[in-house]
Amino acid sequence: MSSRRPVFAIIFILALTIIDASLGFDYGEAVDKSLLFFEAQRSGKLPGTQRVKWRGDSGLYDGYQQKVNLVGGYYDAGDHVKFGLPMAYSVTMLSWGAIEYGRSMMDLNQMGHVLNAIKWGTDYFIKAHSQPNVLWGQVADGDSDHYCWERPEDMTTPRTAYKLDIEHPGSDLAGETAAAMAAAAIAFRPYNSSYSDLLLVHAKQLFWFADRFRGLFTDSIPSAKEFYTSSGYSDELLWAAAWLYRATKDGSYLKYVVDNAASMGGTGWAVKEFSWDNKYAGVQILLSKVLIDGDGGAYTATLKQYQAKADYFACACHQKNAGYNAPMTPAGLLYLHEWNNMQYAASAAFLLAVYSDYLSAAKSVLKCPDANVQPQELLVFAKSQA
Ligand SMILES: *[C@@H]1O[C@H](CO)[C@@H](O)[C@H](O)[C@H]1NC(C)=O
């Protein structure tokens, strides 16, 4: 009865548009369909430009009882709960795709759709972040929602809204939402600088709230526990700071990830999974880019430790990690969890494609315990997962 069928499972394909179509896969069509999927998941008042015509307005009174406008955002899956954590992670990843592969998106005439998909999330987060230290983190309840299968246009199930505040903190959820806003700010900068600035204001406030008032969001919103239990918030704090650094180049965020590298596990955790719950590999690869770009300065030693863990992730996925590899099916699909495994294979493929590009730009190779791996080989591996 779990509802972990998140909307973000397919978006990795965004990354793969850069890959040639020589195998006969039309990655461009896959991108188009992925973005249509996001349109089908839209909650709220739909615009005239809506392409998925069978979806109508829904959830128009979300937040009404609580006197806050929470109309909009994305439904989680086949259900109609708006879960903040996976929604924010989806928006972070969409934004990352747009940042790294904007040129391909433009060549495919998809950039407008990508930005609209991001904005459908960030416009909602702006509403949900109704005060500097208040973030509405969920609308509706999984149990009552799942009890009744119906179209969102017709739903009669409770639309209770749940919030975080200083007495009910949630550093994971607020941190991920900060990361989403910061990443979206970068994606929007060339297209709408005032919107980009607005997103950054929210990102900074949310990061401060997440960092200053520590806690697991599921302790504050217990209704989320059964569906999206977070295993910790340190990764989201580092992730938010890493994105804020990339968005602002403000050295205080880089100092944060360096000062907290050990205590928050950023340089300690060697992981084989990247997901809505576990952001460490993403942090490690993002920070590797700072080093690769030659911007490490006084922090170079710590950033090298981050990159060593990024290498661990990439080598483990690529099965070249002296036996400490990510589990795989006999036919070569990464197989991390029994439930909804595709999202883990997909997000790993995305990270490896990005890391391959970073290494390639630096004319560098991935040094694994079992072999040196060319950036191109990592890309081939990412393709194999697709
Ligand atoms: C830019 O974003 C702002 C919202 O911050 C919006 O009011 C404005 O219409 C946008 N401009 C364009 C050109 O889309």
Side-chain angles (χ1 to χ4, degrees), residues 6 11 115 125 135 147 162 206 253 255 310 314 328 331 360 377:
I11 61 156
L115 292 174
F125 298 141
L135 176 65
Y147 187 70
Y162 303 86
L206 281 164
Y253 296 114
K255 184 173 187 313
M328 207 172 227
S360 167
E377 291 177 61

Side-chain angles (χ1 to χ4, degrees), residues 91-222:
V91 170
T92 311
M93 295 307 292
L94 271 171
S95 301
W96 201 356
I99 293 165
E100 301 289 347
Y101 303 114
R103 173 142 298 283
S104 308
M105 299 294 139
M106 273 186 275
D107 291 347
L108 289 166
N109 270 329
Q110 294 290 331
M111 196 60 187
H113 297 314
V114 178
L115 292 174
N116 286 339
I118 295 168
K119 192 164 185 287
W120 199 262
T122 49
D123 281 350
Y124 172 76
F125 298 141
I126 289 170
K127 291 175 174 174
H129 185 213
S130 55
Q131 293 171 47
N133 294 329
V134 174
L135 176 65
W136 294 85
Q138 183 173 321
V139 178
D141 156 77
D143 290 324
S144 61
D145 184 280
H146 293 182
Y147 187 70
C148 182
W149 288 93
E150 57 190 352
R151 319 190 304 154
E153 292 85 350
D154 302 329
M155 66 189 164
T156 50
T157 40
R159 300 297 292 169
T160 316
Y162 303 86
K163 71 171 171 177
L164 303 176
D165 58 28
I166 59 175
E167 271 127 38
H168 309 90
S171 305
D172 30 24
L173 173 54
E176 182 63 61
T177 311
M181 298 302 238
I186 304 172
F188 266 96
R189 193 169 295 149
Y191 303 96
N192 187 334
S193 60
S194 67
Y195 192 60
S196 176
D197 290 345
L198 177 64
L199 294 174
L200 264 186
V201 169
H202 285 280
K204 289 174 187 173
Q205 287 180 353
L206 281 164
F207 175 66
W208 194 87
F209 171 52
D211 186 45
R212 174 74 180 72
F213 302 98
R214 301 275 180 95
L216 286 173
F217 89 101
T218 42
D219 289 337
S220 298
I221 307 179

Side-chain angles (χ1 to χ4, degrees), residues 198-254:
L198 177 64
L199 294 174
L200 264 186
V201 169
H202 285 280
K204 289 174 187 173
Q205 287 180 353
L206 281 164
F207 175 66
W208 194 87
F209 171 52
D211 186 45
R212 174 74 180 72
F213 302 98
R214 301 275 180 95
L216 286 173
F217 89 101
T218 42
D219 289 337
S220 298
I221 307 179
S223 153
K225 202 170 244 160
E226 196 185 327
F227 306 97
Y228 288 103
T229 301
S230 164
S231 57
Y233 53 72
S234 295
D235 52 337
E236 278 87 6
L237 289 173
L238 295 171
W239 177 238
W243 276 112
L244 273 160
Y245 174 67
R246 183 146 169 184
T248 63
K249 291 289 178 281
D250 175 342
S252 67
Y253 296 114
L254 191 56

Side-chain angles (χ1 to χ4, degrees), residues 107 275 384:
D107 291 347
S275 68
S384 76

